[in-house]
Structure formats: C-alpha cells, structure tokens
Amino acid sequence: MKKILFFPASLRRGSHQRRLVGHLCGLLGAGFEYDIVEAGEIDLPIYNQDLEGNASIVDALVPLGARFAAADGLVVCSPEYKAHVSPYLKNTVDWLSRIPRLAPSEPYPFSMKPLLLASASTGWTGGVLGLQDARKIFSYLGCLVHPGQICVSSADHWAQGDSYRFSEEFAAHVRNMMESFLSLVGVSHD
Ligand SMILES: Cc1cc2nc3c(=O)[nH]c(=O)nc-3n(C[C@H](O)[C@H](O)[C@H](O)COP(=O)(O)O)c2cc1C
C-alpha cells in the first residue's frame, strides 16, 4: 500500500485548495491510502532563526516532518497570491527544511520524494504563476517534482460542494495527471 500525503496550503475555511484535495483523493485507486495535512493542524510562527531553540516548535515540527517523510508521494495544492505561493506554504516548508539541523536523527522530509503540484484559483491563471515558484522551491529541497501540474482556473465556477464538477475534457486531464503521478510514485519507490 502506497501513502500519498496531501497538503492544501491555504488556511481559509472553504478553501479551494482543500476542495481540490478532496477531489484528488477521490481519484486514488486501490493500492493507495492518503493523509491530509489539515489547516488547523499546523501552528508554526513565522520562521525566525532565533526561535529554533524553542522546544515546543521542534516538538510540533518533528511529527509533521515524519508524516512527510513517511509518504511515498506528496501532492501540494497552493493558492496563488500575487503570482507567488502562499506564505503559509513557504513558512511550513522553511520550518520543515530545518529538521536536519533541529532534529538530526529524524528523516529528511523531502529526499527524492515524488511530488505533484496543483492549484485552484478564482482567477484566470489557475495558479500557474505561483506553481512556478513552488516548482523551484520543492526541486531545491530535493523532491522529484512531476513535470506536469493541475491548475484549476475560475474555481468558483466548477465548485460543487466539497468537490468539483469539471468539464469532461478538464476532468480527463486531471485524471490523467493523477495517474501519471501515481505511476511515478510506484516507479520511484518499488
Ligand atoms: C492576497 C491574495 C492574492 C491573490 N493573488 C492571486 C493571483 O495572483 N492570481 C490568482 O489567480 N488569484 C489570486 N488570488 C485569488 C485566489 O485565487 C483565491 O482567493 C483563492 O480562493 C485562494 O485559494 P483558497 O480558496 O484555497 O484560499 C489572490 C487572493 C488573495 C487573498
């Protein structure tokens, strides 16, 4: 059984990223289980190196890092804020990237980790500009970032309850992208 960790990188109630995660979880076939990092689960201050000695932060960071490290693949859904990733995503990643320094006996969360990027935006870009940033960040961290991505534009239009009802053509694109990513997960970890 392979485990996929989904990270919807928005703190907003009713977030489109969370909705997209729900939709993508529904596309996982047999042989996959998933974990979702819910917004309320992370309470890390804005990264400041002076806070690295704070034991309560390290105590919160280690189990979060372990969830990333235990996953066979990561799916990150980030909103686009002014053509960049969300500050919540960047902050979480900045803290996680310090695990080798703060808890050296813990596994590095990103090492050769297959990762699929996705974004849902109420605008016309579908978050494609923010994902360029995300691609740079996660490649730098050591992830195997899938060359494709999922960008949902005009997200309000497609939203239906906790999921999306896309056009047939776009739904097929999303399914194909997930299939391709899941085969990368299978290939890189078998
Ligand atoms: C500060 C801010 C900046 C935004 N910048 C962009 C942008 O650059 N491109 C875009 O398509 N949407 C932008 N949006 C709209 C977001 O796509 C929209 O708020 C989306 O719902 C955010 O994701 P969420 O629902 O998961 O929180 C921005 C929204 C905010 C609040």
Side-chain angles (χ1 to χ4, degrees):
M1 186 72 77
K2 304 275 186 191
K3 183 181 272 186
I4 307 297
L5 180 70
F6 289 85
F7 182 24
S10 167
L11 295 168
R12 192 173 77 81
R13 275 192 304 278
S15 156
H16 276 298
Q17 314 317 307
R18 182 61 183 81
R19 183 176 283 105
L20 184 54
V21 161
H23 184 89
L24 299 179
C25 286
L27 299 178
L28 292 175
F32 288 94
E33 58 184 358
Y34 63 85
D35 182 13
I36 302 174
V37 180
E38 300 289 1
E41 291 185 76
I42 301 184
D43 185 20
L44 294 167
I46 292 179
Y47 177 78
N48 173 350
Q49 200 165 359
D50 291 343
L51 298 178
E52 287 194 343
N54 184 323
S56 68
I57 295 176
V58 178
D59 287 349
L61 200 54
V62 165
L64 180 65
R67 284 167 72 185
F68 277 75
D72 297 295
L74 306 175
V75 177
V76 172
C77 295
S78 176
E80 177 174 286
Y81 286 164
K82 303 299 163 213
H84 292 273
V85 297
S86 67
Y88 168 52
L89 172 60
K90 184 63 168 59
N91 192 55
T92 304
V93 158
D94 282 346
W95 276 113
L96 287 171
S97 73
R98 300 298 289 167
I99 283 180
R101 289 291 293 269
L102 302 179
S105 60
E106 295 295 322
Y108 181 62
F110 301 113
S111 190
M112 295 293 278
K113 195 72 74 183
L115 183 145
L116 179 66
L117 292 170
S119 179
S121 141
T122 52
W124 59 269
T125 69
V128 69
L129 299 173
L131 292 192
Q132 288 178 5
D133 264 4
R135 189 168 292 280
K136 191 163 67 177
I137 292 166
F138 284 104
S139 300
Y140 180 85
L141 289 168
C143 292
L144 293 177
V145 185
H146 190 285
Q149 57 196 16
I150 295 169
C151 293
V152 178
S153 53
S154 306
D156 286 338
H157 175 73
W158 304 108
Q160 196 154 86
D162 291 340
S163 189
Y164 287 105
R165 191 176 187 87
F166 296 127
S167 69
E168 237 174 75
E169 192 183 15
F170 191 72
H173 162 71
V174 172
R175 271 198 313 275
N176 290 340
M177 199 50 69
M178 275 301 277
E179 264 173 38
S180 173
F181 168 64
L182 294 176
S183 65
L184 175 69
V185 171
V187 168
S188 65
H189 280 262
D190 278 342

